[in-house]
Amino acid sequence: MRKIKSILSGIILIITFILVILLFLTKISGETPQIFGYQILRISSQSMEPELMIGDIILSKNIDDISSVHKGDVVTYIGETGDYAGKHITHEVIVEPYKTDSGYFLQTQGIANDVSDPVISADSLVGTMLCKLTVLSVVYNFFMTPWGLIIILGVLAILFINEVFALKQLIKENDNEEETNEDCFTAPHADEETDN
């Protein structure tokens, strides 16, 4: 049972490590990290206060069908013009998607803003907000501090070293068991038969 537990914890650690690296590489490449069509996004401006504060983490889902977006939904899109160009913007929909000859368009506005955003194409939508992740926001904001980063890197290093030693011990125990099994199954040498 102990061996199975060690193997499972090693597998979980490796999968977690791979996911963190993939998310990190995706973020560096400028894309929005996502898993199975879901993204975790961080609010970085005051435009949605008091509903969303700076540092809040939200869970967002890809938009498969533009008709599922309605007035009052909070969506994230990549800005196309002016100060918004190339930035991820999370605002409330104030004009539902409508179709023109050029495609679908909609309009958004930050709750705290006096002016609505420029009209955006549906193609620039990243996702629609499902919920605010309060606990993750607190944890994320703590770990983004210098001390928090040192702590999380230290904990990950300790877990990794612990798993390496556990796997090494498991391999050693397996080798010892194989040697013991080989000794047990070795047939004893028979005495030579003599004629009387």
Side-chain angles (χ1 to χ4, degrees), residues 40-74:
I40 294 177
L41 303 167
R42 183 174 182 269
I43 303 302
S44 59
S45 77
Q46 301 172 340
S47 64
M48 287 295 289
E49 290 184 358
E51 184 177 338
L52 298 172
M53 310 297 282
I54 292 177
D56 281 349
I57 305 290
I58 62 169
L59 179 64
S60 182
K61 185 180 185 313
N62 285 353
I63 299 169
D64 298 324
D65 181 10
I66 193 64
S67 65
S68 66
V69 177
H70 301 290
K71 185 176 180 180
D73 288 348
V74 175

Side-chain angles (χ1 to χ4, degrees), residues 65-122:
D65 181 10
I66 193 64
S67 65
S68 66
V69 177
H70 301 290
K71 185 176 180 180
D73 288 348
V74 175
V75 296
T76 300
Y77 67 93
I78 298 174
E80 300 171 336
T81 59
D83 293 339
Y84 292 147
K87 296 179 182 176
H88 282 77
I89 311 295
T90 301
H91 283 169
E92 183 178 0
V93 175
I94 58 170
V95 176
E96 288 189 8
Y98 56 92
K99 188 173 184 179
T100 68
D101 293 338
S102 305
Y104 283 94
F105 293 87
L106 67 148
Q107 193 164 22
T108 60
Q109 181 175 339
I111 294 172
N113 293 352
D114 296 330
V115 180
S116 60
D117 304 337
V119 173
I120 58 168
S121 68

